[in-house]
Amino acid sequence: MTLRKVKNDSYIYINRVAKKGHTHTPSKATSKRKTKETMGSSPKPNNDAYQHVFVMRHGDRIDNFEPLWVSTAARPWDPPLVQDGMIRAFRTGQRIRSQIPIHRVFVSPFLRCIQTASEVVSALSAVNFDPNAMSSKDVPSIDTSKLKVAIEYGLCEMLNSVAIRRELAPKDGNFDFRILDLEALFPEGMVDHNVDMIYKEMPDWEEPVEDCRERYVNIVKALADKYPTENLLLVTHGEGVGTTFSTFYKDTTVYEVDYCAYVELRREVSSKDGSVVNGEYEVVLSHGQAGIRFSHDHFCDDPVISRTPV
């Protein structure tokens, strides 16, 4: 593993997946598998024969724009968004709304992700779509029946000193997320309290990088399998977006993941004998790139990751 620091105390994210050969197109659905879910188990079925899963990074965090913020912050490991981050999140929500209907949103418990998801949800659920709106403050009315929201520990930040400076992390390793307070940041009636988290607890501090990458892939698959007839938006961190992209779009190197960048996955969904049959995941590029810079690998290399903060 290599860490490479660049100017302004920032890091570039490089995530290389070692595979033989390379490809310029996502793999097609080549096999089918049944899930335990039935077609009638989801309240809002997906009607286009595909399930879509968006994995999105949070918006612009304050400590990357106001370096002195951490010196007085009560929770220096948990920065909020700046106003431009709120606007970027809302506008990204509008973009996704114009492409695919979203039925459920799952979000990391870190404040920057909660605030991002709140803005995105407002954009997705506004009663009247206003292309000139810039944030949730410009939305006079929300339709709380359009989608549901839940917090998921499995989408949380990579909990090690690669992502969070050791001197900023809580000394006892307890990140102390108050879930009820975080849920209150969403429009009333939009949080689904019947959803159980896939990951019941936060990872331990100094989580290995490879364990984190495995966690991100597992949570994407687990949530998709739990709600196979619904389109999902997962709001997480840069590592989650980059790992998802390089896992499902083979033989690629991701160089950078912008704020509010996202990767869109889809798979075929059909019903057989009362069960849902799912195809293989593919990365959708037809909607244009959304803030992920990558190249195709021509040689097999060991996995490399380098960047912080995310």
Side-chain angles (χ1 to χ4, degrees):
M1 182 182 305
T2 303
L3 297 178
R4 186 171 65 203
K5 196 170 185 179
V6 296
K7 62 181 181 179
N8 299 327
D9 291 326
S10 62
Y11 291 71
I12 290 179
Y13 166 55
I14 302 176
N15 184 9
R16 204 172 267 127
V17 177
K19 296 287 181 180
K20 292 183 179 180
H22 67 281
T23 180
H24 289 271
T25 58
S27 59
K28 299 297 183 181
T30 56
S31 64
K32 308 287 184 180
R33 62 186 179 83
K34 290 185 178 181
T35 72
K36 295 181 180 179
E37 303 283 344
T38 62
M39 187 64 84
S41 64
S42 299
K44 297 179 180 179
N46 182 5
N47 296 319
D48 69 351
Y50 285 94
Q51 180 189 35
H52 297 259
V53 180
F54 290 78
V55 183
M56 175 182 170
R57 188 187 180 192
H58 58 78
D60 313 49
R61 49 189 285 173
I62 192 171
D63 53 339
N64 279 356
F65 297 88
E66 300 180 21
L68 295 179
W69 176 84
V70 298
S71 63
T72 58
R75 296 169 57 86
W77 60 85
D78 195 17
L81 300 183
V82 294
Q83 183 60 30
D84 283 350
M86 297 283 200
I87 294 172
R88 192 196 299 261
F90 183 85
R91 300 292 284 181
T92 303
Q94 287 186 314
R95 178 180 179 181
I96 293 174
R97 174 175 175 157
S98 70
Q99 297 170 352
I100 298 293
I102 298 296
H103 305 119
R104 287 187 183 271
V105 175
F106 292 91
V107 55
S108 160
F110 281 82
L111 181 57
R112 57 191 180 275
C113 291
I114 298 291
Q115 291 177 324
T116 298
S118 181
E119 290 296 313
V120 171
V121 162
S122 294
L124 294 174
S125 304
V127 172
N128 297 310
F129 180 80
D130 179 3
N132 297 316
M134 299 297 289
S135 74
S136 58
K137 296 178 181 178
D138 299 324
V139 177
S141 182
I142 295 288
D143 182 355
T144 58
S145 69
K146 291 183 74 70
L147 57 84
K148 292 299 180 183
V149 180
I151 295 172
E152 170 57 56
Y153 283 150
L155 293 170
C156 78
E157 174 68 284
M158 181 166 58
L159 295 191
N160 57 37
S161 55
V162 175
I164 303 174
R165 283 157 42 195
R166 192 180 304 276
E167 66 270 21
L168 299 183
K171 303 306 181 186
D172 59 359
N174 179 14
F175 286 80
D176 187 30
F177 292 111
R178 300 176 182 178
I179 299 301
L180 292 179
D181 291 343
L182 295 174
E183 290 177 340
L185 298 178
F186 294 102
E188 185 176 356
M190 194 160 278
V191 174
D192 189 345
H193 295 286
N194 295 318
V195 171
D196 291 328
M197 292 187 193
I198 302 295
Y199 283 74
K200 308 299 184 184
E201 298 178 350
M202 293 282 289
D204 292 333
W205 174 245
E206 290 297 3
E207 173 188 30
V209 170
E210 289 307 312
D211 287 3
C212 173
R213 296 179 69 212
E214 182 179 0
R215 166 167 62 85
Y216 282 132
V217 174
N218 287 343
I219 195 63
V220 170
K221 291 180 176 179
L223 290 172
D225 285 347
K226 188 174 183 180
Y227 303 97
T229 62
E230 297 183 20
N231 295 328
L232 310 180
L233 171 64
L234 316 183
V235 181
T236 183
H237 304 262
E239 176 65 31
V241 177
T243 295
T244 301
F245 187 93
S246 60
T247 296
F248 295 104
Y249 196 34
K250 302 299 184 183
D251 306 305
T252 56
T253 297
V254 175
Y255 290 104
E256 197 166 359
V257 177
D258 290 342
Y259 289 124
C260 289
Y262 59 82
V263 53
E264 178 186 352
L265 306 176
R266 76 172 185 177
R267 60 180 179 173
E268 290 184 276
V269 176
S270 59
S271 178
K272 184 177 181 180
D273 299 328
S275 298
V276 174
V277 179
N278 297 320
E280 295 297 317
Y281 294 95
E282 60 181 2
V283 174
V284 178
L285 299 179
S286 58
H287 291 155
Q289 285 309 295
I292 302 173
R293 282 175 283 284
F294 69 98
S295 67
H296 291 279
D297 292 337
H298 295 277
F299 303 100
C300 292
D301 295 300
D302 292 332
V304 178
I305 178 172
S306 32
R307 65 82 192 79
T308 201
V310 292

